Amino acid sequence: MIYKFRAILDAEEDVFRDIAIQDEDTLEDLHNAIVNAFGFDCMEMASFYTCDDQWNQEDEIPMFDTGDVPGEQKIMGDYALNQLLSEDQTKIIYVYDFIHMWTFLVELAAVEEAEVGVTYPSLLFSHGLLPAAAPEKEFEAENDDFYSEFEDDLDEDDLDMFSGDDSFEDFGFEENWN
């Protein structure tokens, strides 16, 4: 079967690409198709994120194993598209370049039979030009998730572990140890 996706840049301007890819291909293959469709140089890290129907981000699926134990974390190449996405679960988030945070909302739009003579993945349709810079993102916490218990009483002395004391004696170190 062929999965037809629409990858939409998360921006105010309409910028999207429609991509057809085999359902047995991996998330890594979809990553490569998106990178090619939008003209990126493929030199940056990327991840997919599972999400719910309202695009709320859930689990990360990275390009490379970044876990503490090698081989423990599953990566893009470990997931066939038909393992994660179906007519019931159609949405996934894609982030390219973690410094600039190019963010795409990727949705499965159709599942069809393969066409004879067509090579997959293929770019079906392109709309809009990719801006010169990634759209700015405003990150918000829900329910005070990022509230710091020290935020309201924080002063410079809280940040300086040697405030008012230039001695290292309390820590068991000599100042001129070498």
Side-chain angles (χ1 to χ4, degrees):
M1 298 301 290
I2 298 302
Y3 278 7
K4 292 185 175 180
F5 289 98
R6 176 161 284 175
I8 305 166
L9 178 63
D10 189 13
E12 289 190 31
E13 298 293 321
D14 287 339
V15 178
F16 62 87
R17 306 291 183 264
D18 291 345
I19 298 167
I21 189 168
Q22 295 178 15
D23 68 335
E24 309 92 24
D25 283 346
T26 65
L27 282 177
E28 185 174 9
D29 296 320
L30 182 58
H31 151 76
N32 290 328
I34 292 171
V35 164
N36 289 331
F38 283 94
F40 291 121
D41 60 9
C42 204
M43 299 297 292
E44 303 297 333
M45 293 288 294
S47 284
F48 282 98
Y49 296 87
T50 59
C51 63
D52 63 18
D53 286 338
Q54 284 72 46
W55 297 103
N56 294 310
Q57 181 176 310
E58 295 172 345
D59 298 325
E60 179 183 17
I61 304 170
M63 185 186 308
F64 301 109
D65 185 350
T66 56
D68 294 334
V69 179
E72 184 176 73
Q73 183 177 28
K74 291 183 100 177
I75 59 173
M76 288 181 195
D78 295 331
Y79 290 98
L81 295 173
N82 57 17
Q83 285 180 287
L84 290 175
L85 300 162
S86 66
E87 291 178 1
D88 296 327
Q89 175 57 42
T90 61
K91 298 177 180 181
I92 196 162
I93 299 169
Y94 175 70
V95 177
Y96 177 80
D97 185 352
F98 292 116
I99 295 191
H100 298 102
M101 298 295 289
W102 292 95
T103 304
F104 298 87
L105 308 175
V106 181
E107 187 164 15
L108 178 60
V111 179
E112 300 176 355
E113 293 291 328
E115 294 181 34
V116 177
V118 176
T119 303
Y120 297 100
S122 65
L123 178 61
L124 301 174
F125 184 75
S126 178
H127 177 80
L129 297 175
L130 196 66
E136 296 268 334
K137 299 278 183 263
E138 286 194 32
F139 297 99
E140 297 177 12
E142 293 180 16
N143 303 324
D144 297 326
D145 285 343
F146 296 107
Y147 175 73
S148 169
E149 63 186 80
F150 304 108
E151 209 168 273
D152 53 353
D153 295 327
L154 187 64
D155 61 27
E156 288 301 314
D157 289 338
D158 293 329
L159 301 175
D160 186 6
M161 66 185 211
F162 303 115
S163 64
D165 184 9
D166 293 328
S167 169
F168 290 92
E169 292 174 14
D170 294 341
F171 299 102
F173 297 108
E174 292 181 25
E175 191 168 350
N176 297 312
W177 60 274
N178 59 350

